[in-house]
């Protein structure tokens, strides 16, 4: 492996005594990430509303961008000519790009994003025109132009973007397909995975490391096959993708069936998952990194992530966030969270944030995003500390009602 | 005067040898402002897109908020209960509020804002229901509810808001009214000015200072009468408001006719003006502070303020700003201005800012606002230095094509 990834390493620092949870260090050419950690989505080469400096100040170690969006605008070659994604967007820390497959299949089949969490299909214009052994043909969401994405072209574009961590192309199957389709699709994903790996080896500069991907839908036996496949090839890391089921219990079972197969020597990323209980469950299964648009998207809808003590001190209605839109905040002089060190909680009251939402002031998106990013980074830091101190179970009570 | 304004002072530090331009220090309970300076518009108790800390970092010394917007939402009493505007919005520096009159008459008559710059009336829903000796009755732009603003109630609301500098209620006449209406309106403004001053004295806490206002439209003889009136009463400062004419020449004449009447012992604010040539002209006439939504609004439309050397190095087409929307920037790796110390110019290329606009990313509004605020603060600092060094004429060439 070292010859493929000379500038990368993944080292367990502390193994939890009660579960597969571990604290580890993932070293990339742009610095180290301590895991478990959360990867924030800079979908189109920008965190929505925050500068790279603000992300750093909020404790962020790693972000991701989406190949699908960037290949269409401004284009992989253009980003390469600008010096790559790091330089283009001014982020000098570790970064991941996905393969582009998720969005092609998500927009093509309907919303896979919802399906990962077991939600029902919503109607969308279908943009996926063809899936073949070669790759996928789809229409651009911007101008309707036809594009083909193959395992090789996905790697080529991810080379142009230049993120530290890149991902093989997979077919991301929708929730409603049957086991037979899921199985066929999984094998296609494996063939695409090997082609991606070959293309990676052929063009390897030593500056990037590639993740294989585990599909297999909600079927634990397929997930085991997929995990064993990825395990047996020299991918640097492993991403767990696709539909994880309709309930939290099903997600836990699927993740468990994958993680029982995977050796802890490689970093494992759980794609698109960012709920607090899902993170605690994933960490216990040995998942090292998570990503989700939730913390930043929630901020743009006026929501702030809070710990259960918010509800204990207030009306007790519970939940992982509060909506500052609510008129009950209009005379509330407290910050979102008195114990939060973020600049929003140090500067603004709930009443002021409520006012900004009512007045439709741009500032509120930035302010809530800073809080939610800080919240996720504090959560992950607390999880790492708790693993080292063998009190993960106890720590969970500080972050969710259990 | 000192007994009325125990915590305020205005002291000339340097008088230009060639014009009425001067560098002075305006001291308020929330700190000092060195003039000439620019007051940024935090209309609804927020600079659009920037935190108070970002405003400070961009070199800002003073901001303003609008009584009209805040009296309707969240309401003067509510801001007072939150500890006043400074505490509510987290700005601890000098601050000004206007009287609320401008927006009532602007929305009521059509767009006075455009008329100040000599632009034609645009159709708007009329919300001004009645002007009488007592005050103005208008409909809220939010819910249509009826409100009355009088000289006394404007002072009361500005007391609740708690800005350092407050302004008397005036009638802001539209561009199209004749001299006879303008003259009658001016006298109404004077009577309102005296009532405002009386109410100010009655409730004076020593924490605020009041500005009188000079109206009189485009008629130099009326402007002289208005200036002499304000001069003869113990207002701390003087604001020049209303329509300044259809051309830059007319504006220069009107401002000249006012400033010939006004002694340099009081700070003079030119309301709603922020063009670079207008600022240089105003400074030469002895204007101390300016305000305008232009720098922050321009940013939200993708525009960045630039100096003439941008055009000399590029295509020579001239102007005070560039639009980053333009596709000619898509491969441009330079920052907006290589000599600009702002975080945007230190971090992002024109190509990246262009990409953010194309991708409709929130971040671009923040990034361009930081640049434009920094630009205005650098401009004002350069003007102050040039006055002290007796080279204002020469300095002007660094900021505009003359």
């Amino acid at each position: 492996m070292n010859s493929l990834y000379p500038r990368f390493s993944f080292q367990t620092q502390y193994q939890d005594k009660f579960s597969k949870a571990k604290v580890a260090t993932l070293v990339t050419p742009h610095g180290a990430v301590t895991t478990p950690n959360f990867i924030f989505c800079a979908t189109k080469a920008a965190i929505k509303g925050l500068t790279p400096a603000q992300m750093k100040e909020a404790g962020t170690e790693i972000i991701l961008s989406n190949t699908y969006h960037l290949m269409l605008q401004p284009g992989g070659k253009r980003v390469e000519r600008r010096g790559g994604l790091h330089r283009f967007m001014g982020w000098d820390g570790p970064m991941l790009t996905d393969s582009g497959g998720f969005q092609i299949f998500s927009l093509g089949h309907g919303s896979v994003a919802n399906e990962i969490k077991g939600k029902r299909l919503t109607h969308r214009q279908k943009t996926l025109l063809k899936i073949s052994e070669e790759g996928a043909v789809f229409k651009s969401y911007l101008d309707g132009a036809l594009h083909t994405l193959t395992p090789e072209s996905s790697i080529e574009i991810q080379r142009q973007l230049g993120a530290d961590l890149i991902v093989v192309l997979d077919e991301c199957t929708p929730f409603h397909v049957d086991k037979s389709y899921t199985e066929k699709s999984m094998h296609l994903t494996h063939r695409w995975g090997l082609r991606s790996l070959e293309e990676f080896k052929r063009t390897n500069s030593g500056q990037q490391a590639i993740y294989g991907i585990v599909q297999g839908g909600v079927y634990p036996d397929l997930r085991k096959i997929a995990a064993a496949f990825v395990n047996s090839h020299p991918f640097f890391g492993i991403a767990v993708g696709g539909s994880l089921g309709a309930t939290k219990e099903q997600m836990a079972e699927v993740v468990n069936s994958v993680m029982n197969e995977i050796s802890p020597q490689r970093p494992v990323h759980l794609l698109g998952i960012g709920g607090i209980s899902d993170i605690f469950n994933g960490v216990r299964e040995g998942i090292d990194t998570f990503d989700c648009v939730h913390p930043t998207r929630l901020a743009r809808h006026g929501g702030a992530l809070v710990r259960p003590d918010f509800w204990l001190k207030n009306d007790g209605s519970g939940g992982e966030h509060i909506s500052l839109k609510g008129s009950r905040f209009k005379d509330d002089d407290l910050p979102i969270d008195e114990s939060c060190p973020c600049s929003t909680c140090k500067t603004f009251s709930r009443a002021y944030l409520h006012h900004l939402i009512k007045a439709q002031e741009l500032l509120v998106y930035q302010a809530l995003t800073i809080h939610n990013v800080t919240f996720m980074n504090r959560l992950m830091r607390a999880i790492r500390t708790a693993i080292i101190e063998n009190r993960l179970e106890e720590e969970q009570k500080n972050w969710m009602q259990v």
Side-chain angles (χ1 to χ4, degrees), chain A:
Chain A
M1 290 250 284
N2 277 348
S3 62
L4 270 183
Y5 311 109
R7 300 194 60 192
F8 292 80
S9 66
F10 183 67
Q11 199 79 41
T12 297
Q13 308 296 340
Y14 192 88
Q15 177 61 54
D16 185 31
K17 293 196 177 13
F18 308 107
S19 72
K20 296 198 283 290
K22 64 182 181 293
V23 171
T25 308
L26 197 178
V27 174
T28 80
H30 287 89
V33 179
T34 319
T35 63
N37 218 321
F38 190 84
I39 309 185
F40 294 92
C41 297
T43 303
K44 302 175 187 176
I47 298 288
K48 296 203 186 296
L50 296 195
T51 64
Q54 288 175 312
M55 288 300 286
K56 283 268 170 86
E57 200 189 318
T60 305
E61 295 188 4
I62 178 167
I63 64 174
L64 68 77
S65 275
N66 293 114
T67 292
Y68 173 79
H69 295 90
L70 294 178
M71 70 182 280
L72 299 178
Q73 186 179 81
K77 279 182 191 152
R78 173 157 288 125
V79 173
E80 185 176 37
R81 286 199 303 268
R82 305 279 75 72
L85 258 186
H86 284 93
R87 185 163 166 198
F88 185 54
M89 65 183 289
W91 173 262
D92 61 5
M95 198 185 302
L96 177 146
T97 47
D98 61 2
S99 69
F102 175 75
Q103 281 82 13
I104 292 172
F105 297 109
S106 175
L107 295 172
H109 288 304
S111 173
V112 178
N114 282 334
E115 289 167 10
I116 286 182
K117 287 131 194 162
K119 292 177 188 161
R120 284 278 134 207
L121 265 178
T122 53
H123 178 73
R124 287 221 199 181
Q125 199 191 351
K126 302 290 185 271
T127 53
L128 175 62
L129 301 184
K130 188 181 152 197
I131 310 174
S132 68
E133 189 64 32
E134 176 59 14
V137 181
F138 66 98
K139 277 197 292 191
S140 163
Y141 76 104
L142 292 173
D143 59 8
L146 289 193
H147 293 263
T148 301
L149 196 67
T150 67
E152 292 78 14
S153 71
S154 173
I155 297 300
E156 185 189 4
I157 296 165
Q158 292 186 80
R159 288 259 181 245
Q160 292 161 345
L161 299 176
D164 304 279
L165 308 173
I166 68 176
V167 180
V168 301
L169 185 67
D170 63 330
E171 183 189 5
C172 195
T173 52
F175 181 63
H176 62 270
V177 301
D178 62 15
K179 187 169 180 180
S180 153
Y181 185 96
T182 304
E183 184 169 8
K184 267 188 268 181
S185 166
M186 178 190 76
H187 289 299
L188 177 66
T189 286
H190 294 174
R191 294 191 297 277
W192 283 2
L194 290 179
R195 281 167 57 191
S196 298
L197 186 60
E198 281 313 300
E199 179 67 9
F200 176 85
K201 287 178 180 169
R202 194 181 70 76
T203 58
N204 191 10
S205 65
Q207 301 298 311
Q208 296 180 297
I210 192 167
Y211 276 51
I213 202 159
V214 174
Q215 288 287 352
V218 296
Y219 308 101
D221 54 335
L222 296 183
R223 287 285 181 175
K224 279 183 197 185
I225 294 169
F229 167 83
V230 174
N231 230 359
S232 68
H233 293 281
F235 300 107
F236 175 74
I238 292 166
V240 180
S243 176
L244 297 171
T247 63
K248 285 190 180 290
E249 292 67 36
Q250 201 172 11
M251 189 195 293
E253 187 192 358
V254 169
V255 170
N256 179 265
S257 65
V258 171
M259 297 307 289
N260 282 340
E261 291 298 316
I262 288 177
S263 69
Q265 273 78 53
R266 306 195 215 187
V268 182
H269 180 74
L270 187 57
L271 285 157
I273 298 297
I276 293 172
S277 66
D278 300 329
I279 287 176
F280 274 97
N281 290 340
V283 163
R284 280 201 193 82
E285 289 290 353
I287 301 284
D288 302 295
T289 52
F290 302 83
D291 79 274
C292 192
V293 296
H294 180 64
T296 46
R297 178 175 289 169
L298 178 67
R300 297 197 304 285
H301 290 87
L305 293 165
V306 292
R307 303 199 291 178
D309 59 356
F310 175 88
W311 304 105
L312 296 174
K313 283 187 225 153
N314 289 270
D315 67 1
S317 54
E320 291 184 356
H321 74 269
I322 55 172
S323 169
L324 271 309
K325 280 181 198 165
S327 61
R328 69 192 173 111
F329 295 116
K330 68 186 175 187
D331 291 313
D332 189 337
D333 291 325
L334 291 175
I336 299 167
D337 177 352
E338 288 171 275
S339 76
C340 177
C342 83
S343 59
T344 298
C345 287
K346 292 290 173 216
T347 315
F348 303 135
S349 65
R350 296 170 191 162
Y352 182 66
L353 295 166
H354 172 76
H355 162 70
L356 293 181
I357 292 171
K358 296 289 281 185
Q360 299 180 294
E361 281 289 333
L362 270 181
L363 179 58
V364 76
Y365 307 117
Q366 184 194 139
L368 292 178
T369 305
I370 286 174
H371 172 77
N372 287 350
V373 169
T374 303
F375 182 96
M376 293 307 294
N377 285 323
R378 288 174 81 201
L379 166 68
M380 301 314 292
R381 201 179 311 118
I383 285 175
R384 294 192 297 268
T385 304
I387 292 170
I388 291 169
E389 297 174 356
N390 294 303
R391 49 168 191 76
L392 187 56
E393 194 82 21
E394 193 191 319
E395 184 62 31
Q396 190 163 357
K397 293 174 198 153
N398 294 329
W399 298 90
M400 53 179 289
Q401 289 173 317
V402 284

